[in-house]
Amino acid sequence: MRFDSALGLESRKGPLAVTGKVVIYGLMVIVFTGPLVGLLISAFSKTLDPTSFSLWPDEFTLENFIQATDKNVYLYLFNSFVVVGFGLLLQMLVSVFAAYSLARKKFRGMTIVMLLMLATMMLPEEIIAIPLSLVLADLPVLHLNLIGTYAGMILPVGAWGFSILVMTEFMKEVPVELEEAARIDGAGELRIFATIIVPLCRPALGVIGVFGFTMIWDQYLLPLIVAPESDMWTLPIALRSLRSDEEVGIGVLLAASLLALLPSIIAFLAFQRQFMRGLTSGAVKG
């Protein structure tokens, strides 16, 4: 990534300009990676003083991660993986099918549907917390109580306006001539969707995959509403509980924080190629 144009240093040569670039880039590295490196080092260190946060381990140890077992950190991590795994799969399926309808089909009220999706993105979670809890306690039509179940944490994140809008804008850029040629060859609607539209939308899938994973993984209010017992907690709720527990050392808290951070980094690396292609091809428009 280049910062020369923004900083106005591309036209400056000589030792002073080089020194300025090194200082500026060094400060950026410290600001953005310093806390992450500190977290990584401290999670594997024997940190006895809660106020100490060194960038170099005094003594390498796995004790913090072993003690995390006694605090059910790995159970909370498992719950988070279950919710984000099924939730992201459901969200991507809903986004792809909904975007195909909005991008390729014309029907009455389409503008209203788009406005309603935008409206859901403008509402803070706190506003819909009470209505959501009432709906999950007595699911309309089916009259099911989803409180205390994984489904209660998965179904509400299955549809996200941001993902649908990204996929819709990307599908609008797919040439209609490809579909017309496939129809002439005898391909049906479902085959066109599965073999032409979806493969061409892989960059957009990378974008909504990264953002969707982060959104679901960082959910705090929804698991707090759905999980009345601690054995259903996800990791973000557990971190808040561990922080307020006086018996938990700072080392265990740092180890749990590292476990909460790593999946997001891995998800970005897994979708990195599609994510960057989606951004550069206009999947996200500012």
Side-chain angles (χ1 to χ4, degrees), residues 266-277:
I266 295 173
F268 174 76
L269 295 177
F271 289 100
Q272 182 182 15
R273 179 176 299 178
Q274 290 81 4
F275 180 77
M276 298 307 297
R277 286 178 57 193

Side-chain angles (χ1 to χ4, degrees), residues 133-270:
S133 63
L134 296 176
V135 170
L136 293 177
D138 185 13
L139 198 65
V141 181
L142 299 178
H143 299 290
L144 297 176
N145 183 9
L146 299 182
I147 300 297
T149 65
Y150 285 119
M153 291 184 280
I154 293 172
L155 291 180
V157 300
W160 189 27
F162 174 82
S163 297
I164 296 175
L165 289 175
V166 168
M167 290 300 304
T168 300
E169 294 301 316
F170 199 92
M171 284 187 182
K172 287 181 179 179
E173 302 298 323
V174 177
V176 181
E177 292 77 11
L178 295 177
E179 296 181 49
E180 295 175 349
R183 287 192 178 93
I184 293 175
D185 292 338
E189 196 74 25
L190 186 60
R191 184 178 179 183
I192 293 174
F193 173 77
T195 60
I196 296 178
I197 302 297
V198 174
L200 291 175
C201 292
R202 286 181 181 176
L205 291 174
V207 173
I208 67 173
V210 171
F211 282 105
F213 184 96
T214 304
M215 185 275 285
I216 301 173
W217 186 263
D218 293 339
Q219 280 289 321
Y220 181 83
L221 188 60
L222 178 60
L224 190 64
I225 294 172
V226 177
E229 303 294 336
S230 60
D231 58 351
M232 289 289 297
W233 285 356
T234 55
L235 204 51
I237 300 179
L239 287 176
R240 181 66 183 87
S241 176
L242 292 174
R243 184 179 179 183
S244 60
D245 191 347
E246 297 180 355
E247 297 181 359
V248 177
I250 187 65
V252 177
L253 182 60
L254 292 173
S257 300
L258 180 61
L259 292 175
L261 174 66
L262 287 179
S264 297
I265 298 177
I266 295 173
F268 174 76
L269 295 177

